[in-house]
Amino acid sequence: MLSVQDLESGYGRARVLFGVSLQVDPGRLVCVMGRTGVGKTTLLNTVMGVLPATAGSVTFEGRDITRLKPHERVRLGMAYVPQGHDTFPQLSVLGNLLVTLEAAKGPKEALDEALEIFPRLKPLLKRPAGFLSGGRQQQLAIARALVTRPRLLILDAPTEGIQPSIVIEIEEAIDRLHASGLSVLLVEQYLDLALRLADRFAILDAGQVVRAGTAEELRGGEVSRLLAV
Ligand SMILES: Nc1ncnc2c1ncn2[C@@H]1O[C@H](COP(=O)(O)OP(=O)(O)OP(=O)(O)O)[C@@H](O)[C@H]1O
Ligand SMILES: [Mg+2]
């Protein structure tokens, strides 16, 4: 589904990723973990084409997409929810969803499906997104990504800084999406939550994958040490 090979990127002359390889098989949920500043967001931005790759390749469903623009990747079936809650604060919740639906030229049913994943947004449809709590805005940001009916959903720290009751809702939503067959590439800082959700893990340190495997393979002291602040 998604294959990242020897990927390198960075900002100007500062290189951040030093040859990252990872794979998301169809229907799998892969979690990228690592301390702050190791390059998780940089990796997702490069996978999505927000940042150019300076070396290596990204392949989606067998097609080399390394040079495609972000919106072209969205059209192919990838959706990205960046770190923080990315919404249009002045637009209503419904307006936020409609903007994406129109850009994706999707059917109205796609909007209903996204709201089924986050039913708590339904009573808030007329509310300006900027008036919602951080947790509800994060749900809206994920719902917007779902409106494009992706086959791969990329989430950057969707539970970061969010109140526990809504973290539970977001975890349940990701679990349901995964169970329905959606492939997911997730950056998540809470190890317990990641262990409950993910099929496989990749642990980044200083711009490289230092460990990868299943939950069983990754339990133990070494992983805690790699994630400790
Ligand atoms: N826009 C930017 N310009 C220059 N350097 C940047 C930029 N964004 C990030 N960096 C640097 O790149 C490195 C990796 O940052 P990145 O945001 O990918 O880390 P991260 O693993 O996502 O961290 P966090 O867990 O805090 O989200 C850091 O050293 C950071 O300071
Ligand atoms: Mg980050």
Side-chain angles (χ1 to χ4, degrees), residues 11 16 35-42 83:
Y11 306 90
V16 175
R35 281 183 272 240
T36 184
V38 295
K40 304 181 296 295
T41 296
T42 304
Q83 194 164 12

Side-chain angles (χ1 to χ4, degrees), residues 125-203:
L125 285 175
K126 291 186 178 146
R127 203 73 71 84
F131 287 14
L132 305 183
S133 71
R136 294 276 175 252
Q137 287 190 47
Q138 183 64 267
Q139 292 179 326
L140 175 57
I142 301 171
R144 275 181 57 208
L146 293 174
V147 157
T148 66
R149 286 185 162 163
R151 291 187 298 287
L152 174 68
L153 179 64
I154 302 179
L155 300 168
D156 194 353
T159 66
E160 185 178 56
I162 283 170
Q163 65 186 80
S165 63
I166 299 190
V167 169
I168 293 168
E169 291 177 22
I170 291 174
E171 177 179 347
E172 285 171 359
I174 295 171
D175 202 27
R176 278 176 62 196
L177 291 165
H178 177 211
S180 75
L182 184 66
S183 309
V184 183
L185 179 59
L186 168 71
V187 165
E188 174 56 54
Q189 70 273 36
Y190 296 123
L191 181 58
D192 290 351
L193 197 154
L195 286 171
R196 287 195 295 271
L197 285 177
D199 301 306
R200 296 190 68 83
F201 294 84
I203 300 190

Side-chain angles (χ1 to χ4, degrees), residues 63-121:
R63 174 169 175 183
D64 187 336
I65 60 163
T66 316
R67 304 278 161 243
L68 294 189
K69 297 196 170 66
H71 70 269
E72 295 171 318
R73 301 183 200 214
V74 171
R75 209 176 297 142
L76 289 179
M78 300 167 72
Y80 182 31
V81 183
Q83 194 164 12
H85 17 78
D86 186 28
T87 59
F88 300 111
Q90 286 93 345
L91 281 185
S92 68
V93 168
L94 182 62
N96 269 272
L97 295 169
L98 285 173
V99 163
T100 316
L101 187 71
E102 276 161 29
K105 300 188 179 76
K108 166 98 175 43
E109 294 76 52
L111 201 152
D112 300 331
E113 288 162 17
L115 285 172
E116 276 318 307
I117 301 292
F118 294 112
R120 297 292 183 89
L121 291 178

